[in-house]
Each structure stands twice: as structure tokens, then as C-alpha cells.
Amino acid sequence: GAYQGLATIRGDCYTYYAVSEYLLGLAGIEYVGVQRVPGTRYTHYWHIVRVEDGWYYFDTTPHKQGGDTCLFTESKAQAYTRSRGDKYYEYDRSLTPGITVVP
């Protein structure tokens, strides 16, 4: 996915996810990749990254509705999910033990 995104400069949310994961790794930034809960209409991928003493959502996918999804909090993710629907930023938290996104 990362190669495709870098080579073609286009892709879907997984491509953006893969490219950002590659770059986060190069930069030495601590991150965890997450995927929207199963059973929704579409799959979506993003990261949770550690910045200083906290964890934030990090979604590099461009959104038609706009909005800043570079580093955002749990409350912003919940508000976006309510407005967008389809469990947009809901994921299986058991896969990220010990990580709490900044409220």
C-alpha cells in the first residue's frame, strides 16, 4: 500500500494509512494502527500516535467534509463519528491495551 501511494500519488484510506505508517516509522514516532470495527458499510484505517505524554488520533485520509484530522482527541473523534455515522472512529479497544487517547 505504501509503495502504491508513493509511486502513484493516489489511493484510498488504506493507501494513506500505509504511507503514513511508513513515514511514522522512519521518524521514530510511536504509533498503533487501527481499523474501524467490522460490520460497517466501509472499512477505514488510521493511527493512534504518541505525542509527548499523550495519545492522539492521526488520520491522513482527506475528508470531503473537511476538518483537521492530523492530531485530534477522543472527544473530537466521537463528535465526528456522530456527525458522519457508520461508526467512523470506532475500533476494538482490546487491541490497544494500555493506550488511552487524550479526552
Side-chain angles (χ1 to χ4, degrees):
Y3 176 80
Q4 175 190 348
L6 292 169
T8 65
I9 311 176
R10 66 180 67 169
D12 58 12
C13 72
Y14 182 79
T15 306
Y16 285 96
Y17 165 87
V19 170
S20 64
E21 185 161 297
Y22 174 70
L23 296 173
L24 287 166
L26 285 178
I29 296 172
E30 191 175 358
Y31 67 88
V32 174
V34 292
Q35 176 182 352
R36 184 184 298 162
V37 293
T40 57
R41 186 172 177 200
Y42 300 105
T43 304
H44 186 61
Y45 301 87
W46 69 96
H47 293 91
I48 299 172
V49 297
R50 181 188 288 276
V51 178
E52 296 176 356
D53 293 331
W55 290 90
Y56 294 85
Y57 288 90
F58 179 69
D59 184 357
T60 55
T61 303
H63 293 92
K64 292 177 186 175
Q65 300 83 350
D68 181 12
T69 57
C70 179
L71 295 172
F72 58 107
T73 62
E74 180 69 39
S75 59
K76 184 172 178 179
Q78 289 175 5
Y80 189 85
T81 297
R82 282 191 301 275
S83 71
R84 175 87 186 236
D86 202 23
K87 302 180 181 182
Y88 202 80
Y89 284 119
E90 291 184 24
Y91 63 98
D92 183 351
R93 294 175 195 284
S94 71
L95 301 175
T96 57
I99 293 177
T100 302
V101 178
V102 171

